[in-house]
Amino acid sequence: MIAYILKSVGQAILVLVVVAALAFSMFRFIGDPVANMAGQEASQQDRRELAERLGLNDPVPIQFARFLANAAFGEFGMSYRQGRKVSALIAERMPATVELAVLSALLATGFGTLLGVYTAIRRNSWGAHIVMGISLIGVSLPTFLIGIGLIYLFAVELKWLPSFGRGETVKLGWWTTGLLTPSGRASLIMPVLTLGFFQLTLIMRLVRAQMLETLRTDYVKFARARGLPESRIQFRHALRNTLVPVVTIAGLQLGSVIAFAIITESVFQWPGLGALFVQAVQFVDIPVMAAYLMFVAVVFVVVNLIVDLTYVLLDPRLKSSTAVVGGGK
Amino acid sequence: MNDAPQIKPPPKAKSTLRSRLAAVWDSDLAWNFRHSPVAIAAATTTLLIFIAAFLAPWIAPQNAFDPGAVRLDDGFLKPLEVGSTGITHVFGTDSQGRDLLSAILYGTRVSLIVGFASVGFSMVLGVSLGLIAGFVGGRVDALIMRVADVQLSFPAILIALLVFGVGRGLIHPTQHERMAVIVLIIAIGLSHWAQYARTVRGATLVERNKEYVQAARVMGRTSGAIMGSHVLPNVIGPVLVIATINLALAVIEEATLSFLGVGVPPTQPSLGTLIRVGQQFLFSGERWILFFPAAALIILALAVNLLGDWLRDALNPRLK
């Protein structure tokens, strides 16, 4: 058990160091940091001083160690394009992305489980067929088209919802939230639907498949033989055992929700990290790209680690084996 | 998916002499295909789109990539209106006066070229790395598979964006437009190789201890030759299925990147670029500029997806 936990933590740290090395080499070897920061009219003298001050003349391992130390405190230097600290940019935009990602993960897990149970229990009903059909379209359509479709319907035709931005936000310390104002809540609806839709279909299909399998097991048959009411069998006995893998997948999905947020944020001009990253890619703003890469890696690794550990707690059979759960999509 | 392949009835005891073509017609795959309306519809649609896209320079009413062929005063023509050049614009024109049908045909061609090229690239890369990992084993295997594991846990679109950004950083800004398509192909290709590598490695591990490999070794053939000409043909089957499914993914990924504004330049629009441009006119009422490219992308993605799904189920021995 302890060996398993140590192994998981060790792997997580290893992955982080590898990603940090990638981010560092992007920062160090792509483009010329000095030329990017000093501007056109800097003299040779200025450039040398800047290189010295940035520590670019030190040996590469020392630079990497310094990069790691700074990264641990969330410091990635200055954005080439915006001339501001990357850490400040990230802090400013993180609340928008986290709010969007968490809400859509909740939506996807909640409705995904409900619809999955429904389509499994009423397998041959019209409703189940329609839901499955829609989910097939959801899996094969690109996210941005779903977003545009929603904008067309609710913003252009019906004029019910705003088509871009976060609306009014409220400051709570360094955190900003759109949940406390009517316009903020209205602005959240479409992005959350867009981002949650793909995850929802995925979780729904998973719950359905698991549920169908569980309903065939002996203990469910036994419960029926005992004459328990059908709803009690379905929700107390079958659903409980279905949920273990669902928790895992939902956890692992949170990571990809953050990445898919890139697309959603661009469609709705949502002022979050994903939109920042796309801009950084367009303008080759390496420090921002490196910081975003590290941010996503940390989220992935932490979520993976938590899922790994909860899995051991949920499934006692894993305690003795060294099987590693994870891998994501 | 829903239409699980039907079970083939036992073959009728008929003539034993069949031509090659009849054998193909009678194979499990072809039988399956003839009995799946979804597969036939998807294949027909895919084929029609491919033909229309690759014949674009000959069948399109206008050369969509030639600014000289476009008249600015033909802008915002509604579908079926006739422009000043005498062309009936079946799908209307965009803000620049470009015929949308032509733009979609050319755009689909760009999307498909990027799709095919990136699938080819990731296939070559993934298959070679998978062969090496499975055949050499040991540390090389551990290293390659570890990288594949890490990469598979990140969404492809994120990796493609990163590679695209790095690629742009390495190329001189004046070359950006010219190199955009190549960078895009590499970026999408690099985001999908891990799946091939995993599959091929698994198959290679099974093959490498078989007698024919040992025989080739005894005959003194080099590892490279054994991998290339003996093991490879035996592990290539599943790779082709992955490639079909990945073509749909690559087309969607290209469209997404172009939609985000980091794909092909607007002078040579792909479907994603057309949708990005069309989105700007959603509120001003010129909906057709967005609608037709979006519909084209949906049909293309759906058709290739369904075809890939069918192929996967039809070739899956467990479902037979």
Side-chain angles (χ1 to χ4, degrees):
Chain A
M1 178 76 182
I2 290 175
Y4 174 77
I5 293 175
L6 281 181
K7 201 180 164 199
S8 300
V9 173
Q11 274 179 345
I13 293 173
L14 191 72
V15 170
L16 278 185
V17 171
V18 170
V19 176
L22 261 176
F24 170 73
S25 39
M26 269 166 61
F27 183 70
R28 184 65 191 80
F29 301 114
I30 297 172
D32 180 4
V34 176
N36 271 307
M37 291 170 86
Q40 296 280 323
E41 53 278 339
S43 69
Q44 207 60 33
Q45 179 67 23
D46 292 341
R47 282 164 200 269
R48 238 173 286 139
E49 273 170 22
L50 184 63
E52 188 62 42
R53 206 169 65 228
L54 289 171
L56 293 177
N57 299 331
D58 296 338
V60 170
I62 293 181
Q63 288 188 40
F64 181 52
R66 198 183 304 125
F67 177 85
L68 274 185
N70 284 337
F73 291 102
E75 289 298 337
F76 290 90
M78 306 282 274
S79 156
Y80 292 162
R81 199 171 79 90
Q82 314 211 16
R84 294 176 54 199
K85 268 181 143 182
V86 176
S87 54
L89 283 174
I90 298 243
E92 186 181 292
R93 288 184 168 237
M94 185 135 76
T97 295
V98 171
E99 213 165 83
L100 180 64
V102 170
L103 281 178
S104 41
L106 285 178
L107 171 98
T109 322
F111 279 92
T113 313
L114 279 179
L115 286 174
V117 171
Y118 170 74
T119 47
I121 294 176
R122 302 251 178 283
R123 223 186 137 175
N124 292 316
S125 69
W126 272 103
H129 283 304
I130 292 171
V131 171
M132 288 303 285
I134 293 176
S135 84
L136 182 68
I137 296 173
V139 170
S140 43
L141 273 197
T143 312
F144 68 94
L145 275 184
I146 294 171
I148 293 177
L150 286 177
I151 291 183
Y152 176 68
L153 187 62
F154 291 109
V156 178
E157 287 293 321
L158 298 170
K159 297 195 171 62
W160 287 352
L161 298 169
S163 66
F164 66 91
R166 279 186 91 185
E168 256 176 85
T169 54
V170 177
K171 262 200 150 78
L172 301 170
W174 62 276
W175 190 270
T176 55
T177 176
L179 284 173
L180 297 175
T181 61
S183 77
R185 281 193 293 266
S187 308
L188 264 168
I189 295 174
M190 285 200 292
V192 166
L193 278 180
T194 309
L195 187 52
F197 192 60
F198 178 76
Q199 264 70 35
L200 194 154
T201 52
L202 207 74
I203 290 177
M204 186 195 99
R205 281 163 170 269
L206 185 81
V207 171
R208 178 176 176 272
Q210 286 284 338
M211 191 83 181
L212 285 176
E213 210 152 283
T214 317
L215 285 174
R216 275 200 295 267
T217 53
D218 285 344
Y219 73 90
V220 170
K221 284 182 195 151
F222 176 60
R224 270 203 195 110
R226 276 162 67 204
L228 292 179
E230 193 66 14
S231 63
R232 201 178 146 86
I233 298 174
Q234 280 157 359
F235 288 96
R236 265 197 77 98
H237 295 261
L239 183 60
R240 264 183 159 184
N241 278 292
T242 307
L243 284 184
V244 181
V246 172
V247 169
T248 320
I249 298 285
L252 292 174
Q253 285 298 313
L254 188 68
S256 46
V257 166
I258 295 214
F260 271 104
I262 298 172
I263 302 163
T264 311
E265 285 177 9
S266 297
V267 175
F268 292 99
Q269 296 166 40
W270 192 258
L273 286 174
L276 182 74
F277 176 62
V278 170
Q279 281 169 14
V281 169
Q282 276 166 351
F283 295 98
V284 201
D285 194 343
I286 298 287
V288 176
M289 281 167 63
Y292 184 79
L293 179 65
M294 283 308 292
F295 168 76
V296 173
V298 169
V299 171
F300 265 79
V301 163
V302 169
V303 168
N304 261 302
L305 198 60
I306 293 173
V307 167
D308 265 14
L309 299 183
T310 40
Y311 219 74
V312 179
L313 296 177
L314 286 174
D315 193 342
R317 279 169 299 185
L318 267 179
K319 274 183 189 160
S320 50
S321 74
T322 49
V324 177
V325 186
K329 295 179 59 172
Chain B
M1 313 237 64
N2 286 333
D3 56 319
Q6 287 119 327
I7 296 154
K8 191 192 170 189
K12 285 167 228 142
K14 251 170 66 179
S15 69
T16 47
L17 276 169
R18 281 198 196 109
S19 73
R20 243 186 123 88
L21 211 63
V24 170
W25 175 254
D26 213 48
S27 70
D28 279 3
L29 200 65
W31 188 90
N32 224 318
F33 183 79
R34 291 198 303 276
H35 289 79
S36 165
V38 175
I40 294 174
T44 319
T45 316
T46 311
L47 200 66
L48 281 178
I49 295 176
F50 281 12
I51 292 173
F54 285 104
L55 291 182
W58 294 279
I59 60 172
Q62 197 179 68
N63 182 354
F65 290 171
D66 176 16
V70 173
R71 302 276 297 265
L72 210 54
D73 36 322
D74 280 346
F76 297 124
L77 288 181
K78 289 202 175 73
L80 292 175
E81 272 184 332
V82 181
S84 59
T85 44
I87 301 171
T88 310
H89 299 289
V90 182
F91 289 170
T93 60
D94 66 4
S95 60
Q96 309 293 313
R98 184 157 53 192
D99 177 51
L100 263 183
L101 175 64
S102 316
I104 288 172
L105 286 173
Y106 275 86
T108 313
R109 198 167 72 128
V110 173
S111 295
L112 285 176
I113 290 173
V114 172
F116 275 113
S118 58
V119 165
F121 176 60
S122 55
M123 195 159 81
V124 170
L125 186 69
V127 169
S128 339
L129 285 174
L131 268 178
I132 292 170
F135 201 77
V136 178
R139 288 221 176 130
V140 180
D141 181 26
L143 178 72
I144 293 177
M145 285 347 276
R146 202 68 213 143
V147 175
D149 280 349
V150 172
Q151 172 154 0
L152 274 176
S153 62
F154 286 88
I157 192 79
L158 180 67
I159 292 166
L161 270 169
L162 269 174
V163 176
F164 192 84
V166 170
R168 274 177 85 110
L170 290 173
I171 294 168
H172 198 266
T174 51
Q175 302 285 314
H176 275 175
E177 283 228 342
R178 220 162 53 84
M179 301 290 283
V181 173
I182 295 170
V183 177
L184 197 61
I185 289 168
I186 294 174
I188 298 174
L190 274 182
S191 65
H192 283 298
W193 66 272
Q195 237 185 326
Y196 297 97
R198 250 193 196 175
T199 313
V200 170
R201 172 184 174 266
T204 308
L205 282 180
V206 176
E207 296 292 323
R208 79 164 173 193
N209 292 324
K210 287 200 176 154
E211 278 168 352
Y212 74 91
V213 174
Q214 288 169 353
R217 270 223 183 95
V218 170
M219 284 162 70
R221 299 211 69 178
T222 58
S223 296
I226 298 175
M227 278 192 270
S229 56
H230 299 296
V231 180
L232 183 63
N234 286 302
V235 300
I236 206 74
V239 168
L240 296 176
V241 179
I242 302 180
T244 315
I245 295 168
N246 270 358
L247 179 64
L249 288 179
V251 167
I252 288 181
E253 208 167 298
E254 185 280 323
T256 307
L257 287 176
S258 295
F259 174 78
L260 293 176
V262 294
V264 295
T267 45
Q268 293 181 18
S270 72
L271 287 178
T273 327
L274 290 174
I275 293 170
R276 176 188 173 82
V277 173
Q279 197 197 6
Q280 297 161 5
F281 302 105
L282 194 56
F283 280 93
S284 49
E286 292 88 6
R287 281 164 210 155
W288 65 90
I289 302 178
L290 171 67
F291 178 77
F292 290 111
L297 179 62
I298 291 175
I299 294 171
L300 176 62
L302 217 55
V304 182
N305 243 324
L306 286 172
L307 197 62
D309 269 352
W310 166 79
L311 193 63
R312 183 179 52 197
D313 290 348
L315 290 179
N316 187 347
R318 274 181 303 170
L319 287 174
K320 270 185 186 155

